[in-house]
């Protein structure tokens, strides 16, 4: 405002002087130009002040977030075991995001080392909640979740989460290069190990087709990649981490048939020799699982392999027949 008013006064006063012959028009124009140079630093200071105030407000919020204490912390007596088998056990687990409305109600399930167990069921049955308790994203209200025979609440979080590799349906990628996102799985991995993981995940072919290969920026949350490409990067990251326990949360639910085949092939390589818990809505993808657990109303309603559950003609057989009929209709 000060700059605008000042310039207007100079033009008005100088214009009157030029009309009566006190100054020349050329001198007036030069003076107006000089006035603009005088006020320009003032305008820059005003903009700088606004930027500083915004930065102070944003910084306050950032530091408040950084100072927030997590709800899940190591217990004072937490110790990493010298040796633990990659087994997972849910012992009479009850949990709810709202304690008054439990999602899981006395859930019991054992996953042996090297075994693949699939969790199936309708939306909202508690499948994702179940797997979120393994790396201790939440603490149970009653019962216990045990990894290698140890209650997860008695284990250091760094050790526990180092034992688990997760491949989610909604893959999170940072705004960095392909290489940087893969190295989140194991920062100290060599270039040869990184490329081996990418090849095993059927990802290297499309990575090399990117403008800068492994150095290509993927954009915020991987916006520059397709859903199948992001999923294969997530699998490569899990391969690179090489954790003994693998959790797969519907990794092929939102891709086309051809991409699903590539991802399924990579998942088969990833699960070899690992204790695997997989959630799948496409029941055709988990027929070869060692056991299939049907989750209903926060409990295990049925448990067995595909053939056994089909012979039982219960919830699993009903869901499988529905999907098979739908596939025939759309085919």
């Amino acid at each position: 405002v000060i700059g605008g008013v000042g310039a207007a006064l100079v033009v008005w006063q100088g214009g009157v002087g030029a009309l009566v012959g006190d100054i020349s028009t050329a001198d007036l124009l030069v003076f107006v130009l000089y006035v603009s140079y005088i006020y320009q630093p003032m305008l820059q200071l005003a903009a700088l002040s606004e930027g500083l105030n915004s930065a102070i407000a944003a910084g306050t919020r950032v530091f408040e977030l950084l100072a927030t204490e997590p709800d899940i912390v190591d217990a004072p007596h937490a110790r990493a075991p010298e040796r633990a088998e990659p087994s997972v056990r849910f012992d009479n687990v009850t949990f709810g995001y709202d304690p008054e409305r439990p999602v899981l109600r006395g859930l019991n399930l054992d996953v042996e080392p090297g075994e693949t167990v699939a969790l199936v069921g309708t939306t909202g049955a508690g499948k994702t909640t179940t797997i979120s308790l393994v790396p201790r994203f939440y603490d149970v209200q009653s019962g216990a979740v045990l990894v290698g025979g140890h209650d997860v609440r008695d284990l250091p979080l760094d050790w526990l989460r180092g034992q688990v590799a997760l491949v989610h349906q909604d893959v999170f990628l940072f705004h960095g290069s392909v290489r940087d996102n893969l190295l989140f799985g194991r920062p100290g991995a060599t270039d040869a190990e990184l490329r081996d993981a990418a090849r095993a995940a059927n990802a290297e072919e499309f990575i090399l087709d990117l403008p800068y290969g492994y150095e290509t920026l993927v954009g915020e949350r991987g916006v520059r990649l397709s859903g199948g490409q992001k999923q294969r990067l997530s699998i490569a990251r899990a391969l690179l981490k090489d954790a003994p326990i693998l959790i797969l949360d519907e990794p092929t639910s939102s891709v086309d048939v051809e991409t699903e085949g590539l991802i399924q092939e990579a998942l088969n390589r990833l699960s070899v020799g690992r204790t695997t818990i997989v959630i799948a809505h496409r029941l055709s993808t988990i027929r070869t699982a060692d056991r299939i657990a049907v989750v209903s109303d926060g409990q295990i309603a049925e448990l067995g392999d595909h053939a056994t559950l089909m012979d039982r003609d219960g919830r699993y057989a009903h869901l499988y027949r529905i999907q098979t009929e739908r596939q025939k209709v759309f085919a």
Side-chain angles (χ1 to χ4, degrees), residues 14-313:
V16 172
L19 289 172
V20 300
D22 289 342
I23 62 172
S24 67
T25 304
D27 290 340
L28 173 61
L29 293 175
V30 171
F31 197 79
V32 169
L33 181 62
Y34 285 160
V35 167
S36 67
Y37 286 149
I38 292 173
Y39 281 112
Q40 190 171 5
M42 296 178 62
L43 297 174
Q44 291 174 342
L45 284 174
L48 179 62
S49 175
E50 180 183 355
L52 286 173
N53 286 328
S54 298
I56 290 171
T60 301
R61 295 189 181 98
V62 168
F63 284 112
E64 285 177 354
L65 179 62
L66 292 175
T68 302
E69 292 293 333
D71 295 330
I72 306 298
V73 295
D74 287 343
H77 59 277
R79 295 289 184 275
E82 293 183 3
R83 185 177 181 277
E85 289 186 335
S87 62
V88 179
R89 181 183 179 191
F90 298 88
D91 185 10
N92 200 31
V93 169
T94 296
F95 170 79
Y97 303 100
D98 179 356
E100 301 300 322
R101 302 175 61 187
V103 178
L104 304 178
R105 301 173 177 84
L107 184 140
N108 290 284
L109 179 65
D110 288 333
V111 185
E112 300 298 330
E115 184 181 28
T116 296
V117 172
L119 302 181
V120 302
T122 57
T123 301
K127 303 184 297 297
T128 299
T129 299
T130 300
I131 63 172
S132 296
L133 299 177
V134 178
R136 202 185 167 201
F137 293 152
Y138 307 96
D139 275 339
V140 300
Q141 265 98 54
S142 65
V145 178
L146 298 95
V147 170
H150 302 273
D151 192 320
V152 294
R153 291 168 291 190
D154 298 331
L155 297 171
L157 285 173
D158 285 347
W159 182 90
L160 173 63
R161 293 173 182 174
Q163 303 300 300
V164 180
L166 296 100
V167 178
H168 285 288
Q169 176 184 3
D170 183 19
V171 178
F172 191 95
L173 297 178
F174 295 92
H175 180 46
S177 67
V178 171
R179 181 184 303 278
D180 292 338
N181 276 281
L182 291 179
L183 286 175
F184 273 108
R186 181 153 55 95
T190 64
D191 187 66
E193 290 171 331
L194 183 143
R195 295 179 72 99
D196 286 343
R199 280 193 290 270
N202 288 331
E204 187 170 59
E205 183 177 354
F206 84 79
I207 291 174
L208 296 179
D209 285 339
L210 296 173
Y212 302 103
Y214 283 88
E215 309 307 324
T216 303
L217 295 178
V218 301
E220 194 66 42
R221 294 183 65 88
V223 68
R224 297 176 183 173
L225 303 177
S226 70
Q229 289 173 337
K230 290 191 290 185
Q231 199 63 267
R232 279 178 276 172
L233 285 186
S234 178
I235 295 170
R237 190 161 56 188
L239 277 164
L240 196 60
K241 185 175 182 180
D242 196 25
I245 298 174
L246 175 63
I247 295 177
L248 308 173
D249 188 359
E250 300 188 58
T252 62
S253 63
S254 57
V255 296
D256 59 81
V257 175
E258 182 178 355
T259 305
E260 180 184 357
L262 293 173
I263 293 175
Q264 194 62 49
E265 183 182 326
L267 290 175
N268 292 338
R269 295 194 192 104
L270 178 58
S271 60
V272 172
R274 292 180 172 86
T275 303
T276 305
I277 304 174
V278 54
I279 294 176
H281 278 153
R282 294 183 184 178
L283 302 185
S284 59
T285 63
I286 47 92
R287 289 183 56 178
T288 58
D290 297 312
R291 287 187 297 160
I292 299 169
V294 181
V295 183
S296 177
D297 197 27
Q299 296 178 320
I300 302 299
E302 293 180 334
L303 184 63
D305 59 22
H306 173 77
T308 301
L309 294 179
M310 291 300 294
D311 290 340
R312 193 174 297 170
D313 198 25

